[in-house]
Amino acid sequence: MNKDYYKRKDCRQCHSQDLSIAINLNPTPLANDYIYEKDLKIIKKKYPLDVYFCNSCKHLQLLDVVNPKKLYENYVYVSGTSSAFVKHFEKYAEYLNHNFNSEGLVIDIGSNDGTILKAFKRFGYEVLGVEPAKAIAEEAIKNGIETIIDFFNPVVASEIKKKYGEVSIITANNVFAHIDNPSDFLAGVRKIISSDNGVFCFEVSYLKDVIENTFFDTIYHEHLDYHSLLSLRGFLKRNGFEIIDALKVATHGGSIRVISQKIGGKYKISESVNKLIDEEYNTGLHKLSTFVNFSSQIEKTRENLIKVLKDLKDQGKSIIGYGAPAKATTLMHHFDIGPEEIDYIVDDSKWKQNLYTPGKKIKILPVNNMYEDNPDYVLILAWNFADFIIKKNKKFHDNGGKFIVPLPKVKII
Ligand code: DWN
């Protein structure tokens, strides 16, 4: 890998080289690479954003791989920013505690600010996080969540095994799709998971929801894989794991929670897995054509959204953005939406405020600016939290302000 980037030639899950391009989006700068005022003159590199379909195991993926050190060591995404997300992780910990209760230690890989581990602690578990983003991991440690500041791999796993022994509950949320060598990652999990009652549970964005709702902006360089159970089941099996249950959850527009154990573990395999896989075949996730058709869905959404924004600007209306999520970088570069349309963006994350968005360089400000300026329209870029954001900002709406939700369908509220 040259320092920052390389293009792989084979499928990340089965190593076949029989790959076809499925979705081709405009190149973008790195989605979470927010800019400091002093660096505004620097032109940041854009990376190809092409999604490939493996004709052998049907897995959908990026082959253009950016060095994870470059992506995550100065990360500014913090799970705990949105209380809706915190609630999700509390229920998630409750679910695991109820269904796979055990003594001892819980490990969360990609633990960020320790949001889910805080919930497990309240259930009386010892907790340990693994997180490469230094500043965020240090924040977690300051809040009493022991965290190893590193990327998870078999070496780190051996150290954990030496110090803590085997573990019954291991989670990894919104991280399993971010790994260029998932087999290596699973080798690490195999080292520390208890063979008797160990469960490895992870949540990833669910490809079926992405396709059915045109969530194309969840395609960006942090997300190397776009998971379906029909390709994931074979991959996990080849790495010594079996899926015992799978649940659809609402986060990020639609994710799948996959609960697995080492092959031959104590838990019975739930019928839900076969049922969901049948639905995936009905949606055509095993066919390249499904993804090629997806591109025309994206184009329709572009036409609709651009028309709305252009008409409003032609009427002299002011528009700001709400939420500066990573996914907005893909949406704004693929639809070419920029400072001509959006005056500024408000976001509650202090890690992002007073910075500028990657590429389009739109300033990010605290939400109170929206109430001081009273813009005519607010484009909710964090559309996966649209209901929550609209409810939370009822006062703005009551004062005549309007919201634009871009996905799954463009709508004005
Ligand atoms: O996979 C990933 C998922 C876990 O999260 C990462 N690769 C990056 C990140 O994706 P994202 O940035 O698209 O995630 P969110 O959670 O959709 O981002 C929402 C943004 O909106 C955050 O910047 C916080 C902001 N927000 C806000 O300002 N006020 C969100 C809510 C709910 C609010 O009330």
Side-chain angles (χ1 to χ4, degrees), residues 357-370:
T357 61
K360 297 293 181 179
K361 300 179 178 174
I362 299 175
K363 189 152 191 182
I364 304 165
L365 296 168
V367 171
N368 63 320
N369 284 270
M370 180 175 92

Side-chain angles (χ1 to χ4, degrees), residues 75 77 178 220 222-223 325-327 347-348 352 384 392:
Y75 210 42
Y77 178 79
H178 299 55
Y220 50 89
E222 292 174 24
H223 295 165
K327 55 178 87 65
D347 193 292
D348 288 312
K352 295 182 182 180
N384 45 316
K392 190 168 90 168

Side-chain angles (χ1 to χ4, degrees), residues 32 34 72 75 77 81-85 173-174 178 220 222-223 252 322-328 346-349 352 367 382 384-385 388-389 392:
N32 262 308
Y34 300 92
Y72 303 115
Y75 210 42
Y77 178 79
T81 302
S82 47
S83 52
F85 218 37
N173 304 305
N174 307 308
H178 299 55
Y220 50 89
E222 292 174 24
H223 295 165
H252 294 291
Y322 198 114
K327 55 178 87 65
V346 295
D347 193 292
D348 288 312
S349 169
K352 295 182 182 180
V367 171
N384 45 316
F385 293 109
F388 178 83
I389 288 170
K392 190 168 90 168

